[in-house]
Amino acid sequence: MTGSTAATFTADDYRARMGRAARAAAEAGLAGLLVAPGPDLVWLTGYTPPAVTERLTLLVLAAGQDPVLVVPALEAPDAHRAAGASALTLRDWTDGKDPYAATAALLDASGRFGISDNAWALHLLALQQAVPGSSYASLTEALPMLRAVKDAAELDLMAAAGAAADATFEEIRNVPFAGRRESEVAADLDRLLRGHGHEQVDFTIVASGPNGADPHHEAGERVIARGDMIVLDFGGLRDGYGSDTSRTVHVGEPTDEERRVHDVVREAQEAGFRAVRPGAACQDVDRAARRVIADAGYGEYFIHRTGHGIGVTTHEPPYMIEGEERPLVPGMCFSVEPGIYLPGRFGVRIEDIVTVTEDGGRRLNTTTRELVIVE
Protein backbone atom coordinates (compact mmCIF):
# COMPACT_ATOMS: atom_id res chain seq x y z
CA MET A 1 0.00 0.00 0.00
CA THR A 2 1.09 3.54 -0.59
CA GLY A 3 0.29 6.65 1.34
CA SER A 4 -2.24 7.69 -1.32
CA THR A 5 -4.88 5.37 0.07
CA ALA A 6 -4.42 6.67 3.61
CA ALA A 7 -4.93 10.20 2.27
CA THR A 8 -8.23 9.14 0.72
CA PHE A 9 -9.82 8.06 4.00
CA THR A 10 -10.10 9.95 7.29
CA ALA A 11 -9.73 8.89 10.89
CA ASP A 12 -13.53 8.83 11.09
CA ASP A 13 -13.63 6.34 8.21
CA TYR A 14 -11.20 4.05 10.02
CA ARG A 15 -13.06 4.49 13.31
CA ALA A 16 -16.28 3.39 11.58
CA ARG A 17 -14.56 0.37 10.02
CA MET A 18 -13.08 -0.76 13.32
CA GLY A 19 -16.43 -0.34 15.06
CA ARG A 20 -18.19 -2.30 12.35
CA ALA A 21 -15.60 -5.06 12.53
CA ALA A 22 -15.90 -5.31 16.31
CA ARG A 23 -19.68 -5.54 16.10
CA ALA A 24 -19.48 -8.17 13.37
CA ALA A 25 -17.13 -10.19 15.57
CA ALA A 26 -19.55 -10.03 18.48
CA GLU A 27 -22.44 -11.07 16.23
CA ALA A 28 -20.34 -14.05 15.10
CA GLY A 29 -19.87 -15.13 18.73
CA LEU A 30 -16.27 -13.96 18.95
CA ALA A 31 -14.67 -12.13 21.86
CA GLY A 32 -12.82 -9.93 19.40
CA LEU A 33 -10.44 -9.69 16.47
CA LEU A 34 -6.65 -9.78 16.40
CA VAL A 35 -5.28 -8.15 13.26
CA ALA A 36 -1.66 -8.58 12.20
CA PRO A 37 0.21 -6.55 9.55
CA GLY A 38 -1.34 -7.08 6.13
CA PRO A 39 -4.33 -5.93 4.11
CA ASP A 40 -6.80 -6.17 7.01
CA LEU A 41 -4.66 -3.89 9.18
CA VAL A 42 -4.30 -1.35 6.37
CA TRP A 43 -8.04 -1.40 5.68
CA LEU A 44 -8.94 -0.99 9.35
CA THR A 45 -6.32 1.58 10.41
CA GLY A 46 -4.46 2.96 7.39
CA TYR A 47 -1.23 1.68 8.94
CA THR A 48 1.45 -0.31 7.16
CA PRO A 49 4.46 -1.13 9.36
CA PRO A 50 7.77 0.02 7.85
CA ALA A 51 8.88 -3.63 7.78
CA VAL A 52 7.26 -6.95 8.65
CA THR A 53 9.54 -8.51 11.26
CA GLU A 54 9.43 -10.97 14.14
CA ARG A 55 8.46 -8.10 16.47
CA LEU A 56 4.76 -8.25 17.38
CA THR A 57 2.39 -5.70 15.84
CA LEU A 58 -1.26 -6.48 16.56
CA LEU A 59 -4.56 -4.59 16.49
CA VAL A 60 -6.99 -5.74 19.19
CA LEU A 61 -10.67 -5.09 18.51
CA ALA A 62 -13.60 -6.02 20.74
CA ALA A 63 -17.14 -4.64 21.01
CA GLY A 64 -17.44 -2.12 23.83
CA GLN A 65 -13.68 -1.54 24.02
CA ASP A 66 -11.49 1.10 22.44
CA PRO A 67 -9.30 -0.33 19.67
CA VAL A 68 -5.69 -0.88 20.74
CA LEU A 69 -2.70 -1.25 18.45
CA VAL A 70 0.24 -3.03 20.06
CA VAL A 71 3.46 -1.93 18.32
CA PRO A 72 7.22 -2.14 18.85
CA ALA A 73 8.46 1.11 20.41
CA LEU A 74 10.90 1.71 17.57
CA GLU A 75 7.95 1.73 15.11
CA ALA A 76 5.56 3.77 17.25
CA PRO A 77 6.36 7.08 15.45
CA ASP A 78 5.30 5.52 12.14
CA ALA A 79 2.10 4.19 13.73
CA HIS A 80 1.29 7.63 15.13
CA ARG A 81 1.41 9.03 11.59
CA ALA A 82 -1.13 6.55 10.21
CA ALA A 83 -4.41 8.05 8.97
CA GLY A 84 -6.42 6.10 11.53
CA ALA A 85 -4.09 6.61 14.50
CA SER A 86 -6.36 9.08 16.30
CA ALA A 87 -9.17 6.51 16.24
CA LEU A 88 -7.26 4.02 18.40
CA THR A 89 -4.95 3.69 21.38
CA LEU A 90 -1.30 2.87 20.72
CA ARG A 91 0.46 0.64 23.22
CA ASP A 92 4.16 0.22 22.51
CA TRP A 93 6.62 -2.27 23.89
CA THR A 94 10.40 -2.21 24.00
CA ASP A 95 12.88 -4.92 23.15
CA GLY A 96 13.52 -7.08 26.19
CA LYS A 97 9.90 -6.84 27.35
CA ASP A 98 7.23 -9.49 26.74
CA PRO A 99 4.74 -8.19 24.15
CA TYR A 100 2.48 -11.21 24.63
CA ALA A 101 1.97 -10.49 28.30
CA ALA A 102 1.04 -6.92 27.40
CA THR A 103 -1.39 -8.18 24.76
CA ALA A 104 -2.84 -10.84 27.06
CA ALA A 105 -4.05 -8.11 29.40
CA LEU A 106 -6.32 -6.89 26.60
CA LEU A 107 -7.93 -10.27 25.94
CA ASP A 108 -10.80 -12.22 27.45
CA ALA A 109 -8.95 -15.10 29.10
CA SER A 110 -11.48 -17.65 27.85
CA GLY A 111 -12.47 -15.93 24.62
CA ARG A 112 -12.49 -17.11 21.03
CA PHE A 113 -10.89 -14.61 18.67
CA GLY A 114 -10.75 -14.11 14.95
CA ILE A 115 -7.14 -13.69 13.85
CA SER A 116 -5.62 -12.53 10.57
CA ASP A 117 -4.90 -15.33 8.14
CA ASN A 118 -1.39 -13.98 7.66
CA ALA A 119 -0.52 -13.77 11.37
CA TRP A 120 2.75 -15.53 12.09
CA ALA A 121 2.53 -18.92 13.81
CA LEU A 122 5.24 -17.57 16.15
CA HIS A 123 2.83 -14.93 17.46
CA LEU A 124 -0.27 -17.12 17.58
CA LEU A 125 1.51 -19.85 19.54
CA ALA A 126 2.94 -17.30 21.99
CA LEU A 127 -0.54 -15.82 22.54
CA GLN A 128 -1.97 -19.27 23.16
CA GLN A 129 0.72 -19.82 25.77
CA ALA A 130 0.11 -16.41 27.38
CA VAL A 131 -3.70 -16.91 27.38
CA PRO A 132 -4.12 -20.70 27.62
CA GLY A 133 -7.91 -20.52 27.86
CA SER A 134 -8.26 -18.68 24.56
CA SER A 135 -9.00 -20.11 21.12
CA TYR A 136 -8.74 -18.76 17.59
CA ALA A 137 -10.34 -18.88 14.15
CA SER A 138 -8.94 -17.52 10.91
CA LEU A 139 -10.48 -14.22 9.89
CA THR A 140 -11.49 -15.63 6.51
CA GLU A 141 -13.34 -18.45 8.26
CA ALA A 142 -14.87 -16.29 10.99
CA LEU A 143 -15.73 -13.11 9.04
CA PRO A 144 -15.27 -13.82 5.33
CA MET A 145 -17.31 -10.78 4.29
CA LEU A 146 -15.47 -8.28 6.49
CA ARG A 147 -14.14 -6.25 3.54
CA ALA A 148 -16.50 -7.52 0.84
CA VAL A 149 -19.00 -4.64 0.66
CA LYS A 150 -17.34 -1.45 -0.55
CA ASP A 151 -18.56 2.05 0.26
CA ALA A 152 -18.86 4.82 -2.32
CA ALA A 153 -15.28 6.05 -1.91
CA GLU A 154 -13.93 2.52 -2.24
CA LEU A 155 -16.03 1.93 -5.36
CA ASP A 156 -14.56 5.09 -6.90
CA LEU A 157 -11.05 3.71 -6.27
CA MET A 158 -12.02 0.32 -7.69
CA ALA A 159 -13.43 2.01 -10.80
CA ALA A 160 -10.24 4.04 -11.24
CA ALA A 161 -8.14 0.88 -10.96
CA GLY A 162 -10.34 -0.81 -13.55
CA ALA A 163 -10.05 2.17 -15.89
CA ALA A 164 -6.26 2.05 -15.56
CA ALA A 165 -6.25 -1.65 -16.48
CA ASP A 166 -8.48 -0.87 -19.46
CA ALA A 167 -6.10 1.86 -20.62
CA THR A 168 -3.28 -0.67 -20.33
CA PHE A 169 -5.13 -3.09 -22.61
CA GLU A 170 -5.84 -0.41 -25.17
CA GLU A 171 -2.10 0.24 -25.40
CA ILE A 172 -0.88 -3.37 -25.23
CA ARG A 173 -3.07 -4.42 -28.14
CA ASN A 174 -1.00 -2.13 -30.35
CA VAL A 175 2.47 -3.43 -29.42
CA PRO A 176 4.20 -6.06 -31.57
CA PHE A 177 3.49 -9.65 -30.47
CA ALA A 178 4.83 -11.94 -33.20
CA GLY A 179 8.51 -12.74 -32.80
CA ARG A 180 8.71 -11.54 -29.19
CA ARG A 181 8.93 -13.61 -26.02
CA GLU A 182 5.98 -13.81 -23.64
CA SER A 183 8.21 -12.30 -20.96
CA GLU A 184 8.80 -9.21 -23.11
CA VAL A 185 5.07 -8.58 -23.51
CA ALA A 186 4.61 -9.19 -19.77
CA ALA A 187 7.23 -6.51 -19.10
CA ASP A 188 5.24 -4.15 -21.33
CA LEU A 189 2.11 -4.86 -19.27
CA ASP A 190 3.98 -4.15 -16.03
CA ARG A 191 5.32 -0.88 -17.41
CA LEU A 192 1.92 0.22 -18.69
CA LEU A 193 0.08 -0.62 -15.47
CA ARG A 194 2.60 1.42 -13.50
CA GLY A 195 2.37 4.21 -16.05
CA HIS A 196 -1.38 4.30 -15.44
CA GLY A 197 -0.95 4.71 -11.70
CA HIS A 198 -0.48 1.22 -10.26
CA GLU A 199 1.95 1.16 -7.36
CA GLN A 200 1.90 -2.64 -7.29
CA VAL A 201 1.63 -5.16 -10.14
CA ASP A 202 0.50 -8.57 -8.92
CA PHE A 203 0.47 -10.56 -12.16
CA THR A 204 1.05 -10.18 -15.90
CA ILE A 205 0.00 -13.45 -17.54
CA VAL A 206 0.91 -13.74 -21.20
CA ALA A 207 -0.04 -17.28 -22.26
CA SER A 208 0.48 -17.90 -25.96
CA GLY A 209 -0.51 -20.86 -28.11
CA PRO A 210 -0.56 -24.10 -26.06
CA ASN A 211 0.47 -22.18 -22.93
CA GLY A 212 -2.99 -20.60 -22.99
CA ALA A 213 -4.43 -23.91 -21.81
CA ASP A 214 -2.75 -23.28 -18.42
CA PRO A 215 -4.93 -20.71 -16.60
CA HIS A 216 -2.06 -19.52 -14.35
CA HIS A 217 0.77 -19.78 -16.86
CA GLU A 218 3.83 -17.75 -15.90
CA ALA A 219 5.06 -15.69 -18.84
CA GLY A 220 8.17 -17.43 -20.12
CA GLU A 221 10.63 -17.51 -22.97
CA ARG A 222 8.31 -18.96 -25.60
CA VAL A 223 8.46 -16.86 -28.77
CA ILE A 224 5.01 -15.78 -29.90
CA ALA A 225 4.18 -16.77 -33.49
CA ARG A 226 1.56 -15.85 -36.04
CA GLY A 227 -1.50 -18.02 -35.55
CA ASP A 228 -1.20 -17.95 -31.73
CA MET A 229 -4.15 -17.30 -29.46
CA ILE A 230 -2.88 -15.36 -26.41
CA VAL A 231 -4.53 -15.05 -23.01
CA LEU A 232 -3.64 -11.74 -21.31
CA ASP A 233 -4.50 -11.51 -17.59
CA PHE A 234 -3.07 -8.64 -15.58
CA GLY A 235 -3.70 -6.49 -12.54
CA GLY A 236 -2.47 -5.11 -9.26
CA LEU A 237 -3.14 -2.23 -6.88
CA ARG A 238 -3.77 1.39 -7.76
CA ASP A 239 -4.16 3.72 -4.78
CA GLY A 240 -4.48 0.61 -2.66
CA TYR A 241 -7.37 -1.00 -4.59
CA GLY A 242 -7.26 -3.85 -7.05
CA SER A 243 -7.57 -4.30 -10.78
CA ASP A 244 -7.80 -7.62 -12.62
CA THR A 245 -8.85 -8.11 -16.21
CA SER A 246 -8.37 -10.74 -18.91
CA ARG A 247 -8.71 -10.46 -22.65
CA THR A 248 -7.77 -12.98 -25.31
CA VAL A 249 -6.11 -11.76 -28.50
CA HIS A 250 -4.97 -13.53 -31.67
CA VAL A 251 -1.88 -12.95 -33.80
CA GLY A 252 -3.26 -12.70 -37.33
CA GLU A 253 -6.50 -14.22 -38.50
CA PRO A 254 -7.96 -16.97 -36.27
CA THR A 255 -9.44 -20.25 -37.46
CA ASP A 256 -13.17 -20.85 -37.41
CA GLU A 257 -12.75 -23.07 -34.34
CA GLU A 258 -10.78 -20.43 -32.46
CA ARG A 259 -13.47 -17.87 -33.21
CA ARG A 260 -16.19 -20.31 -32.11
CA VAL A 261 -14.47 -21.05 -28.78
CA HIS A 262 -13.94 -17.33 -28.15
CA ASP A 263 -17.61 -16.64 -28.92
CA VAL A 264 -18.70 -19.32 -26.43
CA VAL A 265 -16.55 -17.79 -23.68
CA ARG A 266 -17.83 -14.30 -24.51
CA GLU A 267 -21.43 -15.54 -24.27
CA ALA A 268 -20.63 -17.31 -20.98
CA GLN A 269 -19.08 -14.14 -19.56
CA GLU A 270 -22.17 -12.17 -20.56
CA ALA A 271 -24.43 -14.78 -18.94
CA GLY A 272 -22.42 -14.62 -15.72
CA PHE A 273 -22.65 -10.85 -15.69
CA ARG A 274 -26.41 -10.89 -16.28
CA ALA A 275 -26.82 -13.24 -13.29
CA VAL A 276 -25.47 -10.53 -10.97
CA ARG A 277 -28.20 -8.95 -8.86
CA PRO A 278 -28.83 -8.37 -5.15
CA GLY A 279 -30.06 -11.50 -3.40
CA ALA A 280 -28.73 -13.92 -6.02
CA ALA A 281 -26.35 -16.53 -4.64
CA CYS A 282 -22.68 -16.37 -5.58
CA GLN A 283 -23.05 -19.82 -7.14
CA ASP A 284 -25.73 -18.47 -9.50
CA VAL A 285 -23.05 -16.47 -11.32
CA ASP A 286 -20.91 -19.58 -11.70
CA ARG A 287 -23.88 -21.67 -12.84
CA ALA A 288 -24.96 -19.14 -15.47
CA ALA A 289 -21.53 -18.93 -17.06
CA ARG A 290 -20.82 -22.65 -16.78
CA ARG A 291 -24.14 -23.60 -18.37
CA VAL A 292 -23.26 -21.78 -21.61
CA ILE A 293 -19.90 -23.53 -21.86
CA ALA A 294 -21.35 -26.94 -21.01
CA ASP A 295 -24.17 -26.55 -23.53
CA ALA A 296 -21.57 -25.79 -26.21
CA GLY A 297 -19.79 -29.06 -25.43
CA TYR A 298 -16.76 -27.62 -23.63
CA GLY A 299 -17.81 -28.17 -20.01
CA GLU A 300 -14.82 -30.36 -19.11
CA TYR A 301 -12.48 -27.61 -20.29
CA PHE A 302 -13.75 -24.93 -17.89
CA ILE A 303 -11.53 -25.92 -14.97
CA HIS A 304 -11.76 -23.11 -12.42
CA ARG A 305 -14.33 -21.06 -10.52
CA THR A 306 -16.05 -18.23 -12.37
CA GLY A 307 -14.83 -15.48 -10.08
CA HIS A 308 -13.26 -14.14 -6.90
CA GLY A 309 -13.69 -11.06 -4.77
CA ILE A 310 -11.33 -8.11 -5.09
CA GLY A 311 -10.60 -5.01 -3.04
CA VAL A 312 -7.47 -4.14 -1.10
CA THR A 313 -6.16 -7.49 -2.34
CA THR A 314 -6.63 -8.86 -5.84
CA HIS A 315 -8.08 -12.17 -4.57
CA GLU A 316 -10.42 -12.33 -1.57
CA PRO A 317 -13.96 -13.50 -0.67
CA PRO A 318 -16.59 -13.85 -1.99
CA TYR A 319 -16.01 -16.58 -4.57
CA MET A 320 -18.29 -17.31 -7.51
CA ILE A 321 -18.27 -21.09 -7.24
CA GLU A 322 -20.73 -23.98 -6.94
CA GLY A 323 -21.74 -24.49 -3.33
CA GLU A 324 -21.31 -20.83 -2.29
CA GLU A 325 -24.84 -19.83 -1.35
CA ARG A 326 -23.94 -16.47 0.16
CA PRO A 327 -26.20 -13.77 -1.33
CA LEU A 328 -24.84 -10.92 -3.40
CA VAL A 329 -25.10 -7.49 -1.75
CA PRO A 330 -24.78 -4.04 -3.34
CA GLY A 331 -21.17 -2.89 -3.09
CA MET A 332 -19.59 -6.33 -3.48
CA CYS A 333 -16.88 -6.44 -6.15
CA PHE A 334 -15.68 -9.61 -7.88
CA SER A 335 -14.45 -11.00 -11.17
CA VAL A 336 -16.54 -12.79 -13.77
CA GLU A 337 -13.97 -14.77 -15.76
CA PRO A 338 -15.06 -17.99 -17.47
CA GLY A 339 -12.60 -19.76 -19.74
CA ILE A 340 -12.06 -22.75 -22.00
CA TYR A 341 -8.68 -24.48 -21.96
CA LEU A 342 -7.87 -27.05 -24.66
CA PRO A 343 -4.72 -28.96 -23.58
CA GLY A 344 -1.82 -28.70 -25.97
CA ARG A 345 -3.69 -26.28 -28.23
CA PHE A 346 -4.94 -22.95 -26.84
CA GLY A 347 -7.05 -21.27 -24.19
CA VAL A 348 -9.54 -18.40 -23.97
CA ARG A 349 -10.51 -16.31 -20.94
CA ILE A 350 -12.50 -13.09 -20.70
CA GLU A 351 -12.65 -11.27 -17.35
CA ASP A 352 -14.27 -8.15 -15.98
CA ILE A 353 -14.51 -6.87 -12.44
CA VAL A 354 -18.17 -6.38 -11.59
CA THR A 355 -19.80 -4.57 -8.69
CA VAL A 356 -23.30 -5.33 -7.44
CA THR A 357 -25.72 -2.40 -7.74
CA GLU A 358 -29.20 -1.90 -6.29
CA ASP A 359 -30.81 -3.51 -9.31
CA GLY A 360 -28.13 -5.61 -11.01
CA GLY A 361 -24.45 -5.26 -11.73
CA ARG A 362 -21.98 -2.78 -13.21
CA ARG A 363 -18.82 -3.68 -15.06
CA LEU A 364 -15.64 -1.89 -13.99
CA ASN A 365 -13.90 -3.01 -17.18
CA THR A 366 -15.28 -1.78 -20.47
CA THR A 367 -12.77 -2.73 -23.18
CA THR A 368 -14.12 -4.82 -26.04
CA ARG A 369 -14.85 -8.44 -25.32
CA GLU A 370 -14.65 -9.30 -29.03
CA LEU A 371 -11.60 -11.22 -30.25
CA VAL A 372 -8.88 -8.65 -30.92
CA ILE A 373 -6.43 -9.23 -33.75
CA VAL A 374 -2.82 -8.20 -33.01
CA GLU A 375 0.38 -8.27 -35.03
Side-chain angles (χ1 to χ4, degrees), residues 190-325:
D190 187 292
R191 173 180 55 81
L192 290 168
L193 283 167
R194 294 182 190 279
H196 288 290
H198 281 63
E199 70 271 9
Q200 177 178 315
V201 176
D202 287 349
F203 43 87
T204 51
I205 292 173
V206 179
S208 63
N211 290 338
D214 175 2
H216 282 171
H217 172 71
E218 292 280 346
E221 296 309 296
R222 183 181 186 277
V223 176
I224 298 168
R226 291 193 66 81
D228 279 349
M229 191 83 92
I230 308 171
V231 177
L232 303 174
D233 184 346
F234 50 93
L237 299 182
R238 182 185 186 277
D239 289 339
Y241 280 77
S243 70
D244 185 1
T245 189
S246 300
R247 293 293 186 264
T248 301
V249 301
H250 196 278
V251 186
E253 284 301 314
T255 65
D256 289 345
E257 181 190 20
E258 287 170 331
R259 281 196 181 277
R260 183 169 64 254
V261 171
H262 191 278
D263 284 346
V264 170
V265 174
R266 181 170 50 81
E267 291 167 13
Q269 207 269 349
E270 177 69 18
F273 170 69
R274 291 190 178 281
V276 175
R277 63 185 183 281
C282 291
Q283 68 180 4
D284 292 342
V285 178
D286 183 81
R287 287 175 174 177
R290 200 167 297 276
R291 186 178 304 116
V292 172
I293 291 175
D295 287 350
Y298 293 99
E300 65 182 293
Y301 303 112
F302 181 10
I303 56 177
H304 56 71
R305 64 196 175 202
T306 293
H308 58 82
I310 185 170
V312 294
T313 58
T314 48
H315 285 73
E316 61 187 43
Y319 298 103
M320 306 302 112
I321 190 170
E322 181 66 30
E324 178 53 84
E325 298 179 350

Side-chain angles (χ1 to χ4, degrees), residues 44-100:
L44 286 164
T45 69
Y47 177 53
T48 301
V52 177
T53 72
E54 72 283 357
R55 291 184 174 94
L56 179 72
T57 295
L58 199 69
L59 174 68
V60 180
L61 295 178
Q65 296 179 204
D66 290 336
V68 177
L69 181 63
V70 178
V71 294
L74 74 168
E75 295 173 6
D78 297 287
H80 276 289
R81 287 192 288 271
S86 63
L88 49 78
T89 298
L90 288 172
R91 182 168 297 183
D92 62 23
W93 61 275
T94 57
D95 285 353
K97 302 294 185 182
D98 183 355
Y100 307 106

Side-chain angles (χ1 to χ4, degrees), residues 27 326 334 354 367:
E27 290 167 3
R326 194 179 309 278
F334 49 83
V354 172
T367 55

